[in-house]
Amino acid sequence: MIIPELLIPAGSLEKLKTAALYGADAVYLSGQKFGLRTAAENFTLDELEVGIGFAKAHGVKTYIVLNGFLHDKDLAELPAFVKAITTLGADGVIASDLGVITTVTEHSEIPVHLSTQASCLNKESGLLWRDLGVKRLILGREVSIAHAGQIKKSTGLEVELFIHGSMCMAYSGNCTISNFTQGRDSNRGGCAQSCRFSYTLVDQPDAKPTYLMSSKDLLGLRLIPQFAEAEIDSVKIEGRMRSPLYAGMTAKLYRQALDAFSRSRNEFDALLEHLEGELEKIPHREYTQASLIQPASSDSVLKIETRSLHRPEYQFVGIVNQIRGDSILVEVRSAFKPNEMLEVVSFDDHPIPLPVAQVKSIKGEDLEMAKISTLVRLPRIPGVSEGQLIRKQVIS
């Protein structure tokens, strides 16, 4: 058995650093063009240089997403970008378009990972992509863990599977609902997530709204032993557009699960309830194992009148920017006031209580509130480190 690589989404430089500090083995990210998450912050070339450098310094690999379906005018700009990320030291690219894959292999020796958008679901497809130069298959979400293991053995390629996060109600890369409802091309980065809306059947006026096309979120944490037994090379967390708190918490919790399993099955089993309880505290839809064990059924779709997302138990408050003397400098992401109780999310242990006795400006002036997008001083607490996330419990 092998312990899979833990692959975490990095929709911004901040999220990349968070994922690296909280235990990712690798991150996936995109430049300003060529990917399918155009609404994410994404990276300029300067940010890619900083981000790839930071990742390398922490032993984390970087995979650049090029999974859009491109026209010739787009392809004309791709060689220069491929050469740039190769020079910067990126560890791989994620692509689905045949033209993109051909362009990458012609201008670089950087490994190509086949995007899930290509819907590779069988060994014959895998063998074809291998002949075209692909080194890793990111299989469609419709493939089970056991089947993924068989595809790996048949092709000799690395195999990657999603283990956590949002699911698509259609075969990946084959949905046009967004195009039809809003004129936004989901295969060119414009998906409006129309499947997430509630709908009422027009021929039943008294019918209640239903999320009949909205898939539950994937939760495969307790299936890590099966991933290892099938020798899956990488387990992937979805969510480049989610918050740094999401990136940090999923990285930390799945890191703890993988490390525990690598030491002992008993240790892994003993941690499961705690880790799944922590995953309940981040924003999510109802959870499902989808097709990881057996084909997904109607149980993997949200029920009538179900809320799209569970109310989060914790709110992302900020990031520890710096430790200076007896103060913690915090980059504020959500407002808070003196006398509130916050928590610092440690890198590998229990949260650290952070009582806010006072809030000061960077100049040391007393503040009545820490406002969003400001830098404030809080009294230093033992155990707090730079780069750690700060959260507060949401009062219902």
Side-chain angles (χ1 to χ4, degrees):
M1 291 191 296
I2 65 171
I3 303 302
E5 166 192 83
L6 177 58
L7 180 54
I8 301 294
S12 68
L13 182 57
E14 182 178 66
K15 296 171 191 176
L16 180 151
K17 291 180 177 180
T18 297
L21 291 172
Y22 278 91
D25 292 314
V27 293
Y28 61 104
L29 56 145
S30 176
Q32 297 290 308
K33 296 182 178 180
F34 313 121
L36 286 180
R37 289 290 182 266
T38 55
E41 296 173 61
N42 295 323
F43 289 68
T44 64
L45 275 176
D46 288 342
E47 288 173 331
L48 281 171
E49 181 175 7
V50 174
I52 292 172
F54 186 91
K56 284 187 177 300
H58 290 81
V60 175
K61 293 182 178 181
T62 50
Y63 306 138
I64 311 301
V65 178
L66 308 175
N67 62 349
F69 294 89
L70 307 187
H71 291 251
D72 283 330
K73 63 180 180 180
D74 306 311
L75 278 175
E77 301 175 26
L78 186 57
F81 182 74
V82 170
K83 290 177 182 178
I85 60 175
T86 301
T87 301
L88 292 176
D91 296 285
V93 300
I94 300 171
S96 50
D97 185 311
L98 275 167
V100 171
I101 292 172
T102 301
T103 301
V104 171
T105 55
E106 286 179 350
H107 291 87
S108 172
E109 294 186 1
I110 191 168
V112 176
H113 299 180
L114 182 72
S115 171
T116 189
Q117 295 298 122
S119 288
C120 180
L121 306 175
N122 57 70
K123 68 177 183 180
E124 295 300 333
S125 176
L127 289 168
L128 173 64
W129 288 112
R130 184 189 68 183
D131 292 344
L132 292 170
V134 166
K135 303 301 182 185
R136 175 185 289 188
L137 302 172
I138 308 173
L139 297 174
R141 291 171 171 88
E142 301 76 26
V143 174
S144 69
I145 298 171
H147 188 195
Q150 294 168 7
I151 292 173
K152 175 180 176 174
K153 290 177 182 178
S154 298
T155 62
L157 295 176
E158 292 184 5
V159 164
E160 176 181 313
L161 281 180
F162 280 93
I163 194 171
H164 188 95
S166 296
M167 299 282 291
C168 183
M169 56 77 64
Y171 276 62
S172 297
N174 291 279
C175 179
T176 57
I177 299 175
S178 180
N179 304 59
F180 180 76
T181 59
Q182 299 194 42
R184 291 170 52 175
D185 193 339
S186 56
N187 293 311
R188 289 179 57 78
C191 181
Q193 295 200 335
S194 303
C195 60
R196 297 300 185 189
F197 304 158
S198 63
Y199 292 90
T200 303
L201 299 177
V202 294
D203 62 345
Q204 298 180 23
D206 297 329
K208 296 179 180 179
T210 175
Y211 295 93
L212 78 168
M213 292 187 291
S214 186
S215 209
K216 295 179 181 178
D217 283 357
L218 181 64
L219 174 59
L221 184 85
R222 64 175 51 244
L223 301 179
I224 282 175
Q226 286 91 325
F227 280 97
E229 184 176 358
E231 298 188 346
I232 304 305
D233 296 279
S234 182
V235 290
K236 186 173 192 172
I237 308 290
E238 181 278 337
R240 277 190 287 147
M241 295 176 65
R242 301 282 191 104
S243 72
L245 182 61
Y246 174 90
M249 289 300 296
T250 53
K252 175 181 177 177
L253 297 171
Y254 275 88
R255 174 83 278 140
Q256 289 179 332
L258 288 164
D259 289 350
F261 179 73
S262 71
R263 293 188 292 267
S264 157
R265 177 62 188 263
N266 288 338
E267 183 179 345
F268 171 78
D269 289 341
L271 264 181
L272 266 178
E273 185 175 350
H274 164 70
L275 296 178
E276 288 186 335
E278 288 297 304
L279 287 170
E280 288 289 342
K281 296 178 181 179
I282 62 177
H284 66 281
R285 301 171 186 90
E286 290 182 57
Y287 283 132
T288 176
Q289 291 182 349
S291 297
L292 291 177
I293 299 299
Q294 57 190 12
S297 66
S298 58
D299 289 340
S300 67
V301 179
L302 293 176
K303 299 175 183 177
I304 293 175
E305 295 185 302
T306 301
R307 288 180 62 85
S308 179
L309 282 173
H310 284 288
R311 183 179 177 85
E313 291 191 29
Y314 286 87
Q315 183 178 21
F316 177 42
V317 168
I319 295 178
V320 178
N321 175 276
Q322 192 177 12
I323 306 295
R324 186 182 295 178
D326 60 356
S327 296
I328 302 170
L329 300 189
V330 176
E331 296 178 34
V332 182
R333 295 292 184 269
S334 297
F336 60 90
K337 299 177 180 179
N339 300 317
E340 288 195 74
M341 176 60 77
L342 308 180
E343 285 184 356
V344 178
V345 180
S346 65
F347 291 131
D348 56 9
D349 205 346
H350 297 294
I352 303 168
L354 181 62
V356 182
Q358 54 184 336
V359 181
K360 293 183 177 292
S361 71
I362 193 67
K363 296 180 180 180
E365 304 162 330
D366 287 328
L367 299 175
E368 295 182 357
M369 177 182 291
K371 296 181 179 180
I372 296 174
S373 300
T374 62
L375 195 64
V376 301
R377 288 177 180 265
L378 298 181
R380 184 173 181 175
I381 298 293
V384 175
S385 302
E386 292 180 10
Q388 288 178 328
L389 304 170
I390 301 175
R391 66 185 186 182
K392 68 177 179 180
Q393 192 163 16
V394 177
I395 306 298
S396 299

